[in-house]
Amino acid sequence: MKPFATTLRRFLSREDGVTAIEYGLIAALIGLVIIGGITVLGTNLETKFNSIATSVGSAG
């Protein structure tokens, strides 16, 4: 059976979990930016299409 100190040292020296967490945080941040951008773009598009619809409706 391995001593606890050896097991603890090996656990603390591994960086696989830290890297996975970092990638997860980056992916979450990118997702939030995309959602925010789509929300703003969708609102702007809705305003533009409503303006076009009003113009076309009043022209006829």
Side-chain angles (χ1 to χ4, degrees):
M1 189 168 178
K2 295 181 183 180
F4 178 73
T6 304
T7 305
L8 182 61
R9 246 185 268 125
R10 189 171 36 151
F11 174 75
L12 293 176
S13 69
R14 293 191 67 186
E15 296 181 5
D16 297 339
V18 175
T19 303
I21 291 171
E22 289 171 352
Y23 284 137
L25 290 173
I26 291 170
L29 180 62
I30 290 171
L32 288 174
V33 169
I34 289 172
I35 289 170
I38 288 173
T39 302
V40 169
L41 181 64
T43 303
N44 290 342
L45 280 175
E46 181 182 9
T47 303
K48 183 56 94 175
F49 281 127
N50 285 337
S51 172
I52 292 170
T54 302
S55 298
V56 170
S58 64

